[in-house]
Amino acid sequence: MAKRTDETIAVRISKVLADRIISGAIEPGARLRQDHIAEEFETSHVPVREAFRRLEAQGLAVSEPRRGVRVAAFNLGEVKEVAEMRAALEVLALRHAAPHLTAAILDLAEEATKAGDKSRDVRSWEEANRAFHRLILTPCGMPRLLATIDDLHAASARFLFAAWRSEWEIRTDQDHRAILGALRQGNTESAAATLGRHVQWIGRKPVKTASGTTREAFAIVG
């Protein structure tokens, strides 16, 4: 029973820390202090260590000899890798989903796009953007593929929040509208080609770190 309780606590800790890392509340390279986290969650070190292992498996943390566990940093190469994986897998999902997309689903996807266009902060934009992609891809009926795409969207969100969490400009997503237009006309290949290009658009901007230095940040804005 004690082992099961520790596992349950570890899952809860890993989810909370993952949310903080993805949102940018904990910056890349920051140390995850076992004692502090155990104290915060009022638990022993056992579930905290298991939570760290879960974060490492998700690529959100790294364990360094004699230095403990830190939030994983990322570079342009990793952003490009996620973008290319999203392009390949989302296009695959869309091709399988297209025959099952109804007018009602496309209407909901259009509403998600409109919500994104009106977003005044990066978090609400990311939620609307992810809703759009989920709506047009979920009818593929391939749960493993969709789960992998969800993980890639979480990685995309982390890149995005690290770059744009304090500044966001309202934008109109013409790619989403082009994808919807092609799908409404039954032109799956045109929709797939636009989607593939769309999710590989990488933005960059300088951001200040907690220490006051400036670094280049890269993010998938699609």
Side-chain angles (χ1 to χ4, degrees):
M1 182 64 71
K3 183 178 180 180
R4 184 174 299 176
T5 301
D6 283 345
E7 288 176 352
T8 302
I9 296 171
V11 169
R12 181 165 63 89
I13 294 171
S14 65
K15 285 182 177 178
V16 171
L17 294 179
D19 285 344
R20 293 175 185 175
I21 293 169
I22 290 170
S23 70
I26 308 178
E27 291 193 343
R31 185 179 175 189
L32 297 176
R33 299 180 182 278
Q34 193 175 122
D35 289 344
H36 293 179
I37 294 169
E39 182 178 352
E40 177 185 351
F41 289 90
E42 299 180 341
T43 187
S44 69
H45 287 182
V46 175
V48 176
R49 285 195 293 268
E50 174 58 28
F52 286 174
R53 283 192 286 270
R54 290 173 180 269
L55 293 173
E56 287 184 65
Q58 292 176 270
L60 296 176
V62 290
S63 178
E64 302 174 335
R66 296 182 298 279
R67 297 185 67 184
V69 178
R70 294 183 179 274
V71 174
F74 53 84
N75 56 35
L76 179 57
E78 291 174 271
V79 178
K80 286 182 175 178
E81 179 184 17
V82 170
E84 289 183 17
M85 290 178 68
R86 276 189 57 191
L89 298 184
E90 290 193 35
V91 165
L92 173 63
L94 182 62
R95 287 199 173 108
H96 283 273
H100 309 290
L101 289 170
T102 63
I105 292 172
L106 295 178
D107 287 346
L108 288 172
E110 186 172 357
E111 289 304 312
T113 292
K114 289 178 181 177
D117 290 347
K118 296 175 183 176
S119 295
R120 296 185 176 275
D121 60 82
V122 66
R123 182 175 287 277
S124 59
W125 180 86
E126 194 278 332
E127 290 174 355
N129 183 65
R130 195 184 300 210
F132 170 86
H133 287 264
R134 279 179 175 162
L135 282 162
I136 65 170
L137 301 180
T138 297
C140 75
M142 303 169 75
R144 290 184 182 179
L145 176 60
L146 292 169
T148 302
I149 290 171
D150 274 346
D151 287 344
L152 293 172
H153 271 274
S156 291
R158 185 183 177 218
F159 303 150
L160 192 68
F161 295 152
W164 271 277
R165 67 176 177 270
S166 60
E167 300 175 18
W168 185 251
E169 295 178 2
I170 295 176
R171 60 190 66 200
T172 300
D173 201 320
Q174 300 297 349
D175 281 350
H176 282 192
R177 286 169 170 77
I179 292 166
L180 288 173
L183 291 173
R184 291 188 193 279
Q185 294 168 12
N187 193 339
T188 302
E189 287 309 307
S190 177
T194 303
L195 177 63
R197 291 192 301 270
H198 172 68
V199 299
Q200 293 189 78
W201 190 78
I202 295 174
R204 61 184 292 170
K205 71 188 294 285
V207 296
K208 284 189 176 181
T209 66
S211 61
T213 59
T214 301
R215 63 179 174 83
E216 282 287 302
F218 305 91
I220 302 163
V221 192

